[in-house]
């Protein structure tokens, strides 16, 4: 397994607690079988109404060059006088990119926010599953995520939102320790009743 944090005796929660966003990410990328397992984990996300609103678009190999062209084209339209070329690199810095898309449908009981959150949960399962298989992921957004030219180029429909790109690969620095995490205290409290 290519990951750094898979020490003998570690259980699933130990491994989950080492999840982080390593950089840089290099070859190899997960095999198709490993990717299938990771996307199967994404399908386990909580999902009101069983809408399965998430869509994942894989971009690898030579397709990343074409994504780079698209990023440059979009940047030129956003800012004709800016340095559009610098956006090309964003398609090439990792061996595999997964666009995370929320496919939003009108529903009487499931507002769009819930569909967006479910898509985020599915993406998080994907990141965790790839981490558990020894790979690294780094989720980014930036101007490309919100750009209509990028959306059109990726083939998104009008009711689809791009929640960013997950860079996937093998952490170059496998021995690097995961970052220390902040304490839970400011983020968790117990409620005993109104006014408590
Ligand atoms: C939706 C979303 C978009 C993000 N976009 C960016 C981004 O554009 N650039 C960036 O440096 N980090 C971005 N991040 C944060 C990184 O993915 C990462 O979580 C952060 O660098 C902290 O590292 P850690 O995951 O190891 O704690 C984004 C995270 C999320 C959930």
């Amino acid at each position: 397994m290519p990951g750094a944090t898979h020490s003998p005796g570690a259980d699933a929660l130990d491994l989950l607690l080492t999840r982080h966003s390593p950089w840089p990410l290099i070859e190899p990328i997960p095999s198709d079988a490993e990717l299938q397992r990771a996307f199967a984990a994404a399908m386990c996300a909580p999902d009101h109404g069983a809408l399965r609103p998430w869509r994942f678009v894989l971009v690898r190999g030579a397709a990343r060059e074409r994504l780079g062209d698209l990023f440059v084209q979009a940047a030129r339209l956003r800012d004709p006088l800016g340095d559009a070329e610098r956006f090309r690199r964003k398609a090439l810095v990792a061996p595999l990119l997964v666009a995370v898309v929320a496919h939003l449908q009108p529903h009487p009981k499931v507002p769009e926010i819930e569909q967006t959150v479910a898509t985020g949960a599915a993406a998080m399962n994907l990141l965790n599953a790839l981490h558990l298989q020894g790979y690294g992921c780094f989720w980014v957004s930036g101007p490309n995520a919100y750009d209509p030219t990028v959306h059109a180029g990726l083939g998104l429909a009008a009711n689809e939102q791009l929640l960013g790109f997950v860079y996937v690969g093998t952490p170059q620095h496998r021995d690097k320790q995961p970052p220390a995490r902040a304490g839970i205290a400011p983020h968790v409290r117990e409620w005993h009743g109104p006014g408590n």
Side-chain angles (χ1 to χ4, degrees):
M1 229 182 245
T5 50
H6 297 69
S7 51
D11 67 15
L13 185 53
D14 288 330
L15 292 176
L16 201 53
L17 289 170
T18 65
R19 197 232 47 99
H20 63 293
S21 303
W23 196 258
L25 295 168
I26 58 174
E27 301 274 0
I29 61 171
S31 67
D32 284 347
E34 288 168 325
L35 285 171
Q36 294 289 329
R37 296 246 293 159
F39 287 114
M43 298 303 288
C44 299
D47 176 22
H48 193 180
L51 297 177
R52 291 179 279 277
W54 46 84
R55 303 287 185 270
F56 298 107
V57 183
L58 281 73
V59 184
R60 56 178 134 180
R64 293 175 311 143
E65 311 278 347
R66 295 190 277 278
L67 186 65
D69 293 341
L70 182 62
F71 285 171
V72 171
Q73 183 195 350
R76 278 204 189 106
L77 289 169
R78 279 198 307 273
D79 178 7
L81 301 177
D83 177 13
E85 266 303 320
R86 78 188 170 90
F87 286 89
R88 186 181 302 283
R89 197 177 158 273
K90 295 190 181 294
L92 304 172
V93 286
L96 168 65
L97 288 80
V98 180
V100 178
V101 177
H103 178 90
L104 303 170
Q105 309 155 61
H107 191 283
K109 288 188 186 158
V110 188
E112 284 191 0
I113 179 67
E114 293 190 17
Q115 299 178 42
T116 305
V117 168
T119 301
M124 196 62 242
N125 269 13
L126 175 72
L127 265 69
N128 283 332
L130 290 170
H131 171 66
L132 293 176
Q133 294 182 93
Y135 296 93
C137 295
F138 200 122
W139 189 342
V140 299
S141 52
N144 287 316
Y146 308 108
D147 192 295
T149 303
V150 174
H151 295 183
L154 285 171
L156 269 56
N159 65 327
E160 293 184 326
Q161 245 177 27
L162 182 54
L163 303 189
F165 294 88
V166 178
Y167 290 125
V168 181
T170 295
Q172 184 171 359
H173 308 298
R174 293 180 198 182
D175 299 332
K176 202 171 163 197
Q177 288 299 309
R181 295 298 182 180
I184 66 169
H187 306 276
V188 183
R189 69 186 171 93
E190 192 148 334
W191 187 81
H192 299 285
N196 282 288

